[in-house]
Short mmCIF file of all heavy atoms in Angstrom, two decimals:
data_model
loop_
_atom_site.label_atom_id
_atom_site.label_comp_id
_atom_site.label_asym_id
_atom_site.label_seq_id
_atom_site.Cartn_x
_atom_site.Cartn_y
_atom_site.Cartn_z
N ASN A 241 -0.55 -6.83 -10.42
CA ASN A 241 -1.71 -6.24 -11.11
C ASN A 241 -1.67 -4.71 -11.18
O ASN A 241 -2.65 -4.09 -11.55
CB ASN A 241 -3.00 -6.67 -10.41
CG ASN A 241 -3.28 -8.15 -10.53
OD1 ASN A 241 -3.87 -8.61 -11.52
ND2 ASN A 241 -2.84 -8.92 -9.54
N ALA A 242 -0.53 -4.13 -10.86
CA ALA A 242 -0.43 -2.67 -10.80
C ALA A 242 -0.72 -2.01 -12.14
O ALA A 242 -1.25 -0.90 -12.19
CB ALA A 242 0.95 -2.26 -10.30
N SER A 243 -0.39 -2.68 -13.24
CA SER A 243 -0.64 -2.09 -14.56
C SER A 243 -2.13 -1.95 -14.85
O SER A 243 -2.51 -1.15 -15.71
CB SER A 243 0.03 -2.93 -15.65
OG SER A 243 -0.50 -4.25 -15.67
N ARG A 244 -2.96 -2.71 -14.16
CA ARG A 244 -4.41 -2.58 -14.32
C ARG A 244 -4.95 -1.40 -13.52
O ARG A 244 -6.09 -0.97 -13.74
CB ARG A 244 -5.11 -3.86 -13.86
CG ARG A 244 -4.68 -5.11 -14.62
CD ARG A 244 -5.21 -6.36 -13.96
NE ARG A 244 -6.67 -6.41 -13.94
CZ ARG A 244 -7.37 -7.31 -13.26
NH1 ARG A 244 -6.72 -8.24 -12.52
NH2 ARG A 244 -8.68 -7.30 -13.28
N ILE A 245 -4.12 -0.90 -12.62
CA ILE A 245 -4.52 0.22 -11.77
C ILE A 245 -3.98 1.54 -12.31
O ILE A 245 -4.68 2.55 -12.37
CB ILE A 245 -4.02 -0.01 -10.33
CG1 ILE A 245 -4.54 -1.33 -9.77
CG2 ILE A 245 -4.40 1.16 -9.43
CD1 ILE A 245 -3.79 -1.81 -8.54
N SER A 246 -2.72 1.53 -12.71
CA SER A 246 -2.07 2.75 -13.17
C SER A 246 -0.91 2.42 -14.11
O SER A 246 -0.08 1.57 -13.78
CB SER A 246 -1.54 3.56 -11.97
OG SER A 246 -0.77 4.65 -12.38
N VAL A 247 -0.88 3.07 -15.27
CA VAL A 247 0.24 2.89 -16.19
C VAL A 247 1.43 3.71 -15.72
O VAL A 247 2.57 3.27 -15.73
CB VAL A 247 -0.18 3.30 -17.61
CG1 VAL A 247 1.01 3.19 -18.57
CG2 VAL A 247 -1.33 2.44 -18.10
N THR A 248 1.16 4.93 -15.30
CA THR A 248 2.17 5.80 -14.69
C THR A 248 1.52 6.49 -13.48
O THR A 248 0.40 6.99 -13.60
CB THR A 248 2.67 6.87 -15.68
OG1 THR A 248 1.56 7.62 -16.19
CG2 THR A 248 3.43 6.25 -16.81
N PRO A 249 2.17 6.53 -12.34
CA PRO A 249 3.50 5.97 -12.07
C PRO A 249 3.48 4.44 -11.98
O PRO A 249 2.42 3.85 -11.80
CB PRO A 249 3.86 6.59 -10.72
CG PRO A 249 2.54 6.81 -10.06
CD PRO A 249 1.59 7.19 -11.16
N LYS A 250 4.66 3.84 -12.11
CA LYS A 250 4.78 2.39 -12.05
C LYS A 250 5.07 1.94 -10.61
O LYS A 250 5.85 2.57 -9.90
CB LYS A 250 5.88 1.91 -12.99
CG LYS A 250 5.57 2.17 -14.46
CD LYS A 250 6.65 1.62 -15.36
CE LYS A 250 6.30 1.85 -16.83
NZ LYS A 250 7.36 1.34 -17.74
N ALA A 251 4.46 0.83 -10.22
CA ALA A 251 4.61 0.34 -8.85
C ALA A 251 6.06 0.01 -8.51
O ALA A 251 6.52 0.23 -7.39
CB ALA A 251 3.73 -0.89 -8.64
N GLY A 252 6.82 -0.50 -9.49
CA GLY A 252 8.19 -0.92 -9.23
C GLY A 252 9.18 0.22 -9.06
O GLY A 252 10.34 -0.01 -8.70
N ASP A 253 8.74 1.43 -9.27
CA ASP A 253 9.62 2.60 -9.12
C ASP A 253 9.56 3.21 -7.73
O ASP A 253 10.09 4.30 -7.51
CB ASP A 253 9.25 3.68 -10.15
CG ASP A 253 9.53 3.24 -11.58
OD1 ASP A 253 10.35 2.32 -11.75
OD2 ASP A 253 8.92 3.79 -12.51
N HIS A 254 8.90 2.51 -6.79
CA HIS A 254 8.73 3.06 -5.44
C HIS A 254 8.94 1.98 -4.39
O HIS A 254 8.81 0.78 -4.66
CB HIS A 254 7.31 3.64 -5.28
CG HIS A 254 7.00 4.74 -6.23
ND1 HIS A 254 6.54 4.52 -7.52
CD2 HIS A 254 7.11 6.09 -6.10
CE1 HIS A 254 6.37 5.67 -8.13
NE2 HIS A 254 6.70 6.64 -7.30
N ASN A 255 9.27 2.41 -3.19
CA ASN A 255 9.27 1.56 -2.00
C ASN A 255 8.03 1.88 -1.18
O ASN A 255 7.51 3.00 -1.23
CB ASN A 255 10.53 1.77 -1.17
CG ASN A 255 11.77 1.31 -1.89
OD1 ASN A 255 11.71 0.45 -2.78
ND2 ASN A 255 12.92 1.87 -1.53
N TYR A 256 7.59 0.90 -0.38
CA TYR A 256 6.33 1.05 0.34
C TYR A 256 6.51 0.70 1.82
O TYR A 256 7.18 -0.28 2.16
CB TYR A 256 5.25 0.14 -0.26
CG TYR A 256 5.03 0.41 -1.73
CD1 TYR A 256 5.83 -0.22 -2.69
CD2 TYR A 256 4.05 1.29 -2.17
CE1 TYR A 256 5.65 0.03 -4.05
CE2 TYR A 256 3.87 1.54 -3.53
CZ TYR A 256 4.67 0.92 -4.45
OH TYR A 256 4.49 1.17 -5.79
N HIS A 257 5.89 1.50 2.66
CA HIS A 257 5.85 1.23 4.10
C HIS A 257 4.39 1.06 4.47
O HIS A 257 3.59 2.00 4.35
CB HIS A 257 6.47 2.39 4.87
CG HIS A 257 6.38 2.22 6.36
ND1 HIS A 257 6.56 3.26 7.24
CD2 HIS A 257 6.12 1.13 7.13
CE1 HIS A 257 6.41 2.82 8.47
NE2 HIS A 257 6.14 1.53 8.43
N ILE A 258 4.02 -0.15 4.90
CA ILE A 258 2.65 -0.47 5.28
C ILE A 258 2.56 -0.50 6.80
O ILE A 258 3.18 -1.35 7.45
CB ILE A 258 2.18 -1.81 4.69
CG1 ILE A 258 2.30 -1.78 3.16
CG2 ILE A 258 0.74 -2.10 5.11
CD1 ILE A 258 1.99 -3.13 2.52
N HIS A 259 1.81 0.43 7.37
CA HIS A 259 1.64 0.53 8.82
C HIS A 259 0.19 0.20 9.16
O HIS A 259 -0.73 0.73 8.54
CB HIS A 259 1.98 1.94 9.29
CG HIS A 259 1.87 2.12 10.77
ND1 HIS A 259 2.80 1.61 11.66
CD2 HIS A 259 0.94 2.75 11.54
CE1 HIS A 259 2.45 1.91 12.89
NE2 HIS A 259 1.33 2.61 12.85
N VAL A 260 -0.02 -0.69 10.12
CA VAL A 260 -1.36 -1.11 10.53
C VAL A 260 -1.65 -0.61 11.94
O VAL A 260 -0.89 -0.87 12.87
CB VAL A 260 -1.52 -2.65 10.48
CG1 VAL A 260 -2.93 -3.05 10.91
CG2 VAL A 260 -1.21 -3.18 9.08
N VAL A 261 -2.75 0.12 12.07
CA VAL A 261 -3.21 0.62 13.37
C VAL A 261 -4.44 -0.17 13.77
O VAL A 261 -5.38 -0.31 12.98
CB VAL A 261 -3.56 2.12 13.30
CG1 VAL A 261 -3.98 2.64 14.68
CG2 VAL A 261 -2.39 2.93 12.76
N GLU A 262 -4.44 -0.74 14.97
CA GLU A 262 -5.64 -1.44 15.46
C GLU A 262 -6.17 -0.70 16.67
O GLU A 262 -5.43 -0.28 17.55
CB GLU A 262 -5.35 -2.92 15.76
CG GLU A 262 -4.26 -3.20 16.78
CD GLU A 262 -4.85 -3.62 18.12
OE1 GLU A 262 -6.09 -3.69 18.23
OE2 GLU A 262 -4.06 -3.84 19.04
N PHE A 263 -7.50 -0.50 16.68
CA PHE A 263 -8.12 0.42 17.61
C PHE A 263 -8.82 -0.23 18.80
O PHE A 263 -9.06 0.42 19.80
CB PHE A 263 -9.15 1.29 16.88
CG PHE A 263 -8.54 2.27 15.91
CD1 PHE A 263 -8.41 1.95 14.57
CD2 PHE A 263 -8.10 3.50 16.35
CE1 PHE A 263 -7.85 2.85 13.68
CE2 PHE A 263 -7.53 4.41 15.47
CZ PHE A 263 -7.41 4.08 14.14
N HIS A 264 -9.21 -1.49 18.68
CA HIS A 264 -10.05 -2.10 19.72
C HIS A 264 -9.35 -3.20 20.50
O HIS A 264 -10.02 -4.05 21.10
CB HIS A 264 -11.34 -2.64 19.07
CG HIS A 264 -12.24 -1.57 18.54
ND1 HIS A 264 -12.75 -1.57 17.26
CD2 HIS A 264 -12.69 -0.43 19.12
CE1 HIS A 264 -13.49 -0.50 17.08
NE2 HIS A 264 -13.47 0.21 18.19
N ASN A 265 -8.02 -3.21 20.49
CA ASN A 265 -7.26 -4.25 21.20
C ASN A 265 -7.68 -5.65 20.78
O ASN A 265 -7.71 -6.57 21.60
CB ASN A 265 -7.42 -4.09 22.72
CG ASN A 265 -6.81 -2.79 23.22
OD1 ASN A 265 -5.75 -2.38 22.77
ND2 ASN A 265 -7.50 -2.13 24.15
N ALA A 266 -8.03 -5.79 19.51
CA ALA A 266 -8.44 -7.09 18.99
C ALA A 266 -7.24 -7.94 18.56
O ALA A 266 -7.41 -9.09 18.19
CB ALA A 266 -9.39 -6.91 17.81
N GLY A 267 -6.05 -7.37 18.60
CA GLY A 267 -4.86 -8.11 18.21
C GLY A 267 -4.61 -8.02 16.71
O GLY A 267 -5.36 -7.38 15.97
#
């Protein structure tokens, strides 16, 4: 659905690193 968000830049032209931080020791 990236084209509904942005025409340029295009999502497929990038790599992504998703980092999750949890603060309350909830797992």
Side-chain angles (χ1 to χ4, degrees):
N241 293 274
S243 62
R244 300 170 63 189
I245 303 164
S246 172
V247 177
T248 55
K250 295 183 178 179
D253 293 339
H254 300 85
N255 293 336
Y256 303 86
H257 176 197
I258 302 174
H259 182 74
V260 180
V261 182
E262 59 104 0
F263 291 95
H264 293 129
N265 295 321

